[in-house]
Amino acid sequence: MPPTQSSRTSRQRVKDGGTSAKSPSPRGARPSRGTVTLSDVAELAGVSSMTVSRVLNRPETVAPETVETVRKAIARTGYVPNLLAGALATTRTKLVAAIVPTISGSIFAACIQSLTDRLEVAGYQMLLGLSGYPAAREEGLLNAILSRRPDALFLTGTTHSAQSRRRLRGAKIPIVETWDLSAKPIDMAVGFSHQRVGRDAAQFLFKKGYRRFAAIGAEDERAKIRWKSYLAALTELGVDDVASITTPAPTNLWMGRDGLSKLIADGFTHGAVFCSSDALAHGVLVEAQARGLSVPGDIAVIGFGDLDFAAFTVPALTTVRIDRFAVGRLAAEAILSRLAGEPVAEKVIDVGFQIIEREST
């Protein structure tokens, strides 16, 4: 009786290494099927699956020559360990998720690099999500990230929707809110006071002798806090007429040029301009020079962030310095302490800020 289609298919699966039994390959012969498994690595290395597992998880318990053989097999096959399977047993994924608005500027990029470097030393990898400005995508992003069961979360800012707060509190994992301070963080916070930044910038410029003021700021929440505090501080100093321009976020040099152009069109031809980012401030410098205005003679400029280029503009840019590397490192330390079950000495860490005076003011 001729074989049926199903029997031919069954024999083909055996031949191709499917779900049926298979003949062992000689040691050193690379398996040639679809997804590479731990068993494939064991077969190529000529060892048991348990030995491969030990090499991956506790290499110190395996003979060095066996470790080398298994690692060569892993390299040849391109095998990627199934961390999720291990996580089901240990409840740890070794992943820390981070959500930032953007990485188009170096202010967040530096922080994330510092966070990643510290976590990597401790054996954790980072999963990055971008929420945008305003954080309209944060709620959906949180749902997607939390469904992957990260061991901890790094968040930007302290303002979240009611639904997000419920999800975050229900996650029962270490959470660090950064780039702002809160008296009642969801779990922990590492940041600085945006209100004090705005206030100190106003007082700094006033003490320098400036009496006409303007601001060019992004529409993101933290920039708005700095702008409102700047205005409030100037009002206390007797200055009520402050010109202002808002821009989308993230900001760039062109927005700074356009912002100063609009201020000048409205009659602001001299005075001090507080910008919500160094990128905007750089644009103001360029536009002032293009128009033949002297800096700081006609237009004084102060930025925010002290990015790498700030000290090398012409003239060098006065700005507010945030230790963005410290934000990432301290957030990582807080997360790792909580994951290790150690007490966290400070649930809210204020990294502070400095006004770095240079030639633009």
Side-chain angles (χ1 to χ4, degrees):
M1 179 176 178
T4 65
Q5 178 64 36
S6 61
S7 64
R8 286 197 300 269
T9 302
S10 177
R11 287 202 299 271
Q12 186 65 38
R13 283 201 304 269
V14 173
K15 180 180 179 182
D16 292 342
T19 56
S20 302
K22 60 184 179 182
S23 300
S25 300
R27 179 170 178 167
R30 178 176 177 176
S32 57
R33 295 189 296 279
T35 302
V36 179
T37 67
L38 184 140
S39 296
D40 293 332
V41 174
E43 184 178 320
L44 181 60
V47 300
S48 69
S49 295
M50 181 62 73
T51 299
V52 176
S53 179
R54 285 174 179 162
V55 170
L56 290 170
N57 297 297
R58 298 187 63 193
E60 71 278 4
T61 65
V62 184
E65 59 271 19
T66 302
V67 172
E68 181 66 19
T69 298
V70 171
R71 286 177 175 169
K72 286 181 178 178
I74 290 172
R76 285 190 62 191
T77 60
Y79 172 66
V80 178
N82 185 353
L83 297 180
L84 181 58
L88 293 174
T90 65
T91 72
R92 289 285 176 88
T93 61
K94 307 299 284 187
L95 281 178
V96 173
I99 297 179
V100 296
T102 179
I103 54 172
S104 63
S106 62
I107 193 164
F108 291 119
C111 175
I112 290 299
Q113 185 64 59
S114 178
L115 173 74
T116 302
D117 290 346
R118 180 63 187 92
L119 291 174
E120 186 177 22
V121 171
Y124 287 83
Q125 299 299 318
M126 196 193 67
L127 179 68
L128 180 64
L130 304 181
S131 59
Y133 288 105
R137 296 196 297 267
E138 186 186 64
E139 192 168 307
L141 197 54
L142 279 174
N143 289 340
I145 286 175
L146 290 175
S147 69
R148 286 157 175 79
R149 302 295 188 267
D151 290 339
L153 269 176
F154 171 104
L155 301 176
T156 304
T158 57
T159 302
H160 317 281
S161 70
Q163 176 65 18
S164 291
R165 283 189 168 275
R166 284 192 291 270
R167 290 295 305 275
L168 290 167
R169 293 188 186 281
K172 305 297 183 183
I173 59 175
I175 296 171
V176 181
E177 296 168 281
T178 63
W179 289 95
D180 205 347
L181 296 177
S182 172
K184 295 181 179 180
I186 293 172
D187 185 14
M188 301 172 287
V190 177
F192 56 95
S193 170
H194 293 271
Q195 290 93 338
R196 289 202 295 270
V197 169
R199 179 201 65 195
D200 287 9
Q203 292 176 348
F204 167 82
L205 293 171
F206 193 86
K207 288 178 181 178
K208 292 286 294 181
Y210 299 104
R211 292 299 180 265
R212 294 200 66 194
F213 299 89
I216 303 176
E219 295 173 340
D220 75 271
E221 180 186 356
R222 289 173 295 280
K224 288 179 179 178
I225 292 172
R226 297 193 295 272
W227 175 73
K228 290 178 180 178
S229 181
Y230 175 74
L231 293 181
L234 289 174
T235 298
E236 291 176 2
L237 293 168
V239 179
D240 295 319
D241 185 17
V242 180
S244 64
I245 298 292
T246 59
T247 70
T251 56
N252 56 41
L253 186 149
W254 178 86
M255 293 176 185
R257 294 197 64 171
D258 184 62
L260 182 60
S261 295
K262 291 176 179 176
L263 288 175
I264 291 173
D266 289 339
F268 185 86
T269 56
H270 67 279
V273 183
F274 176 41
C275 298
S276 70
S277 72
D278 281 356
L280 288 174
H282 192 188
V284 171
L285 292 178
V286 172
E287 185 63 24
Q289 292 169 349
R291 291 172 175 266
L293 300 173
S294 67
V295 179
D298 297 313
I299 301 290
V301 189
I302 179 171
F304 174 83
D306 195 26
L307 300 186
D308 295 340
F309 64 80
F312 305 104
T313 59
V314 179
L317 180 64
T318 295
T319 185
V320 179
R321 173 182 293 168
I322 309 298
D323 191 341
R324 50 198 189 277
F325 291 98
V327 173
R329 176 177 51 79
L330 291 170
E333 294 290 355
I335 286 171
L336 293 172
S337 292
R338 290 269 277 102
L339 289 172
E342 300 170 355
V344 177
E346 297 180 85
K347 294 196 69 175
V348 178
I349 301 175
D350 187 348
V351 299
F353 60 88
Q354 293 176 277
I355 294 180
I356 306 301
E357 184 175 3
R358 298 193 180 103
E359 297 166 356
S360 68
T361 54

